[in-house]
Amino acid sequence: KWAGASMVAIATRSKLARDLALSSGIDIAIDSSQEDVAGRLMEATHGLGPDVAFDAVGGGQRYAQKGIELVRRGRKVGVLGGFPAQRTDLGGDYLIKEVALVACFSYARWGAISEFQIALDGLADGKFNGRQYISRRFPLDEIAQAFEAAQHKDGQDAIKVSIVF
């Protein structure tokens, strides 16, 4: 949103992530375990669908395909989430809608600038508060518990987990 998008939505099962997104200025936070994600996005975009969708989950789920289904014709789906070594069916909408599927790498560059530099500049300029994203802090001698929390085990809800030493 601070990079210029007019409307940003997130769909996640995590209440913590939805609350954090809304407090950070995101427009729509959808509980994907309870709500119709496509319906909410179509309503918010007056039936057109979003210009861009990101699959930041990956795995064996079909989130990239969902993005293809949701975006407007000729728009983009960014894939950040990794896929296991298996065949992925993009579905019929991929060709019919002329969707651009874009690989996104978290250690990449936006133009000539490192994405890490963009994030650091955003923190330094006060465009966003990075502290609020650290949901759990652990001392070094509790590193195993930190990894458990980071992997959302046992019903824990964590955004970023920090080891403090």
Side-chain angles (χ1 to χ4, degrees):
K1 181 94 179 182
W2 62 268
S6 61
M7 182 191 313
V8 176
I10 183 175
T12 179
R13 295 178 304 224
S14 169
K15 181 177 180 346
L16 180 61
R18 290 191 310 274
D19 291 345
L20 180 58
L22 290 171
S23 71
S24 298
I26 286 180
D27 303 289
I28 302 168
I30 304 167
D31 181 348
S32 61
S33 68
Q34 302 291 321
E35 299 179 69
D36 175 15
V37 175
R40 288 279 312 271
L41 291 174
M42 289 303 167
E43 179 183 327
T45 60
H46 308 289
L48 298 173
D51 289 322
V52 178
F54 288 96
D55 166 15
V57 180
Q61 300 296 325
R62 298 180 158 268
Y63 298 111
Q65 292 88 336
K66 275 298 199 194
I68 291 167
E69 292 170 18
L70 290 172
V71 294
R72 298 178 193 192
R73 181 182 184 88
R75 302 307 164 100
K76 295 181 181 178
V77 175
V79 180
L80 290 84
F83 295 95
Q86 67 183 20
R87 186 177 176 160
T88 301
D89 179 10
L90 298 176
D93 284 346
Y94 176 67
L95 292 173
I96 295 167
K97 291 175 71 176
E98 299 178 327
V99 171
L101 195 60
V102 180
C104 303
F105 186 56
S106 62
Y107 301 105
R109 305 179 78 70
W110 193 359
I113 304 170
S114 160
E115 289 180 353
F116 279 118
Q117 189 61 54
I118 293 168
L120 289 173
D121 290 346
L123 287 167
D125 295 344
K127 291 181 179 176
F128 62 92
N129 174 9
R131 289 187 187 276
Q132 65 186 348
Y133 295 95
I134 302 173
S135 51
R136 303 283 307 273
R137 290 173 174 79
F138 292 88
L140 186 57
D141 62 342
E142 295 179 14
I143 195 166
Q145 293 90 330
F147 277 101
E148 293 262 337
Q151 294 174 2
H152 302 277
K153 288 189 176 178
D154 300 322
Q156 299 179 54
D157 202 4
I159 303 298
K160 293 293 179 190
V161 174
S162 178
I163 307 297
V164 182
F165 55 98

